[in-house]
Amino acid sequence: MRWDALFNDMESQIAESDRLAFDAEINERARAEMVGTGFADRLRGALGCRLSVHLACGDVVHGALSHAGADALVLNEEQHQVLVPYASAVQYAGLGRLSVAEASPVRRGLGLAHALRGLARDRAELTVMVGHSAPAARLVGVIDRVGKDYLDLAVFTPGEARRSNQVSQVSAIPFTAIAAVRSRRTGEF
């Protein structure tokens, strides 16, 4: 009887040691995988979830995450969509732990300039929040042109049609100054 207890105890210790080694290997692999995960992958894991994005200018944008691109995300509010460059956000609330890599190399390459060109093509009336300190300036207008790292916004009175005589100014806005872009929710980015 004494020998049986000794062998059972040794077997239990070896099994526990194997289990601990297996758990340690899993944890190490998970840490190694996390090192290669980009922020857009982390956001893609929360597609469809409601997020709160705190901007450097002090504003907070709330909505369901509908797109996470190379350098910007899109949140769906009730009547609007908000395009937020990653560089203008200081905190994200509502993310889970899931990360999802983008399988399509084409979609992986779509960034802020592509989304802005789509808005320019649609001649969508937008509110562009400019600046990274409180309060952010809000410019209402239509994007006339999108360059490599800037956009030209024809500013006019909200609700008016974009006509030459209605434009009060054309503002050139560097991408780095954009805090967020809000547009009516007529389609998806």
Side-chain angles (χ1 to χ4, degrees):
M1 289 278 192
R2 193 169 177 200
W3 290 105
D4 289 341
L6 178 65
F7 288 126
N8 286 340
D9 184 48
M10 288 174 57
E11 186 178 335
S12 294
Q13 288 179 13
I14 291 171
E16 181 65 13
S17 174
D18 288 347
R19 188 190 63 76
L20 289 173
F22 181 72
D23 287 350
E25 183 177 344
I26 288 174
N27 288 336
E28 181 59 32
R29 286 184 183 193
R31 281 191 293 276
E33 184 177 314
M34 191 62 155
V35 169
T37 301
F39 191 66
D41 296 338
R42 178 80 189 280
L43 286 168
R44 257 183 239 99
L47 286 174
C49 295
R50 290 202 53 80
L51 301 182
S52 296
V53 180
H54 299 257
L55 305 176
C57 65
D59 286 27
V60 180
V61 183
H62 307 277
L65 181 63
S66 65
H67 177 75
D71 52 8
L73 63 86
V74 176
L75 292 177
N76 288 340
E77 297 176 329
E78 189 172 319
Q79 296 181 0
H80 295 91
Q81 287 188 306
V82 183
L83 176 69
V84 179
Y86 299 151
S88 70
V90 295
Q91 179 186 349
Y92 298 82
L95 292 176
R97 296 210 173 264
L98 184 63
S99 294
V100 177
E102 177 58 65
S104 167
V106 173
R107 287 185 63 99
R108 223 181 355 255
L110 295 179
L112 181 59
H114 292 89
L116 293 171
R117 284 188 188 100
L119 291 169
R121 181 189 60 243
D122 294 345
R123 306 302 290 161
E125 182 178 317
L126 314 164
T127 301
V128 180
M129 295 170 56
V130 180
H132 295 296
S133 59
R138 285 172 169 68
L139 302 173
V140 176
V142 171
I143 298 173
D144 276 347
R145 167 179 28 195
V146 178
K148 178 180 176 184
D149 56 358
Y150 75 96
L151 64 87
D152 285 344
L153 185 74
V155 178
F156 55 86
T157 306
E160 296 288 327
R162 196 262 185 246
R163 304 267 189 268
S164 295
N165 61 345
Q166 298 291 341
V167 174
S168 61
Q169 69 182 18
V170 175
S171 294
I173 305 169
F175 288 173
T176 56
I178 297 173
V181 178
R182 179 173 275 118
S183 64
R184 281 239 168 251
R185 193 170 171 190
T186 57
E188 300 297 318
F189 282 97

